[in-house]
Amino acid sequence: MESLAINDLVLTSDGLSEKLVWVGKSLCTVRPDLPDDLAGWPIRIHAGAIADHMPHTDLLVTAEHCIFLNGGFIPARMLVNGASITWDKTFRSYEYFHVETETHVVISANGLLTESYLDTGDRQAFRQTGQIAALRSSQKDWQKDAAAPLMTSRFQTEPAWKAIALRAGIDGFAAFTTADPALHLLLPDGTRLYPSRQSSGFVIFTLPHAIRSLRLMSRADRPCDVVGPYVDDRRALGVLIRDIMLFDGPKTRRVTDHLIPPEPTSGWMADEIEGQGWTDGDAALHINTEGPSTLALQIIGGGPYILSHTDTQIRRAG
């Protein structure tokens, strides 16, 4: 890849040659503190991972680079299985390259079908290599300009993941989980307050004194980590809340922080259904009570949550 230049020819999936119109490279520095798919680790697709001689030698790609399977493009991160497609953690920084053809095409790399570069708005992150090319047209999108559909829904990606995993001797993905969110409140003085009871679908907390704000704490995990990498949901989800009621002396009022987050770092995320919101495991509640009070939370979803994070949660056949 490093030796490719503008006007070079690459082989497409139908055996034709396509001229390169742009070659760019960028430097990635890995951030090991982040989840694997966000840290920047490259993905190693081992020889023969997809089929015999596909690829014919190991191929390194970035997490979002797409592999052509079953008539569409699947991001490589959604195919990682810990055996034949793995995060390569021997790298701490590396240069990676993108090659663009006149139109987006399926190309062969080490015998594996993958994609040429599709500029969806990140070209500025790359430094052009070799001769200077004419400025490219405005950014493109997957719906109108891609050579094949982008496939990220579970019904498309899970069968592909399972077929590749089975070839590597893996019969599934299993995380050790719990349904308990470990829900509690964190008061400004550091006190942790646990529910006093549950009633009519609400979790009840008794607040001992006047409080301006507090934080709602719980376990939180990403569906892609709990269910499998073939799930394209990388949000850290704590609990899903519909109503929050505050009984402050003679006053009863509804708290709406979870519906209209007060600030971007509030720890709240809107849900697909109006009138409810997710925490990320550490969400702010601004309640401004005048004295001892009662807080009632209607929890309608959450979990399962991972009990122990391991490098691999795959089940090997046999």
Side-chain angles (χ1 to χ4, degrees):
M1 187 72 74
E2 296 91 333
S3 62
L4 289 175
I6 293 168
N7 293 325
D8 281 354
L9 298 178
V10 294
L11 187 66
T12 66
S13 60
D14 54 12
L16 301 178
S17 295
E18 188 83 12
K19 184 185 294 186
L20 298 183
V21 296
W22 179 82
V23 178
K25 68 178 179 179
S26 186
L27 176 68
C28 178
T29 300
V30 175
R31 291 190 54 189
D33 56 305
L34 296 178
D36 288 347
D37 57 305
L38 300 175
W41 304 112
I43 291 173
R44 182 176 293 274
I45 303 175
H46 295 255
I50 309 301
D52 291 348
H53 311 296
M54 291 183 59
H56 55 68
T57 50
D58 288 8
L59 179 66
L60 286 170
V61 298
T62 56
E64 297 302 326
H65 192 75
C66 290
I67 309 305
F68 183 73
L69 289 169
N70 302 335
F73 289 114
I74 300 178
R77 63 177 165 81
M78 302 185 75
L79 299 172
V80 170
N81 57 40
S84 62
I85 301 181
T86 59
W87 299 105
D88 192 326
K89 297 186 177 181
T90 63
F91 292 86
R92 291 295 167 149
S93 66
Y94 56 92
E95 282 189 329
Y96 63 102
F97 294 77
H98 274 315
V99 295
E100 184 177 18
T101 48
E102 190 63 45
T103 59
H104 191 233
V105 294
V106 179
I107 60 176
S108 177
N110 291 13
L112 182 65
L113 297 183
T114 178
E115 59 166 332
S116 62
Y117 174 67
L118 182 68
D119 180 17
T120 56
D122 64 346
R123 187 188 298 276
Q124 68 278 3
F126 296 89
R127 186 170 70 256
Q128 185 173 320
T129 68
Q131 66 190 83
I132 302 300
L135 290 176
R136 307 303 302 154
S137 58
S138 58
Q139 73 183 57
K140 301 176 181 179
D141 67 57
W142 279 95
Q143 294 294 327
K144 295 186 302 181
D145 304 302
L150 177 64
M151 302 197 307
T152 57
S153 62
R154 182 174 176 179
F155 84 90
Q156 296 168 318
T157 56
E158 186 173 9
W161 186 92
K162 285 185 173 180
I164 296 167
L166 187 60
R167 179 177 172 82
I170 298 163
D171 67 2
F173 181 95
F176 297 100
T177 63
T178 178
D180 177 16
L183 192 70
H184 62 280
L185 303 179
L186 182 62
L187 306 188
D189 63 2
T191 300
R192 294 184 183 272
L193 209 61
Y194 292 88
S196 56
R197 66 186 189 279
Q198 295 190 29
S199 176
S200 303
F202 283 80
V203 178
I204 312 297
F205 293 89
T206 302
L207 306 180
H209 50 71
I211 294 174
R212 182 174 180 180
S213 64
L214 49 79
R215 302 199 73 85
L216 175 61
M217 312 293 291
S218 73
R219 292 187 170 102
D221 278 300
R222 306 185 308 162
C224 63
D225 296 327
V226 178
V227 182
Y230 42 79
V231 174
D232 195 31
D233 189 344
R234 297 189 282 175
R235 298 173 299 166
L237 299 179
V239 291
L240 179 61
I241 296 181
R242 181 168 293 155
D243 279 326
I244 303 177
M245 302 301 299
L246 182 66
F247 305 93
D248 186 11
K251 302 176 184 177
T252 298
R253 56 190 169 90
R254 192 165 178 249
V255 180
T256 59
D257 285 9
H258 61 309
L259 305 179
I260 308 172
E263 61 270 333
T265 57
S266 64
W268 292 102
M269 293 172 282
D271 187 50
E272 293 84 356
I273 299 175
E274 189 176 352
Q276 56 196 42
W278 284 97
T279 76
D280 67 1
D282 182 358
L285 280 176
H286 302 280
I287 54 177
N288 295 312
T289 64
E290 297 178 0
S293 58
T294 299
L295 184 68
L297 306 171
Q298 187 182 22
I299 310 294
I300 59 172
Y305 309 96
I306 297 176
L307 280 175
S308 104
H309 288 265
T310 60
D311 287 339
T312 177
Q313 294 169 334
I314 59 175
R315 296 193 306 265
R316 294 193 176 274

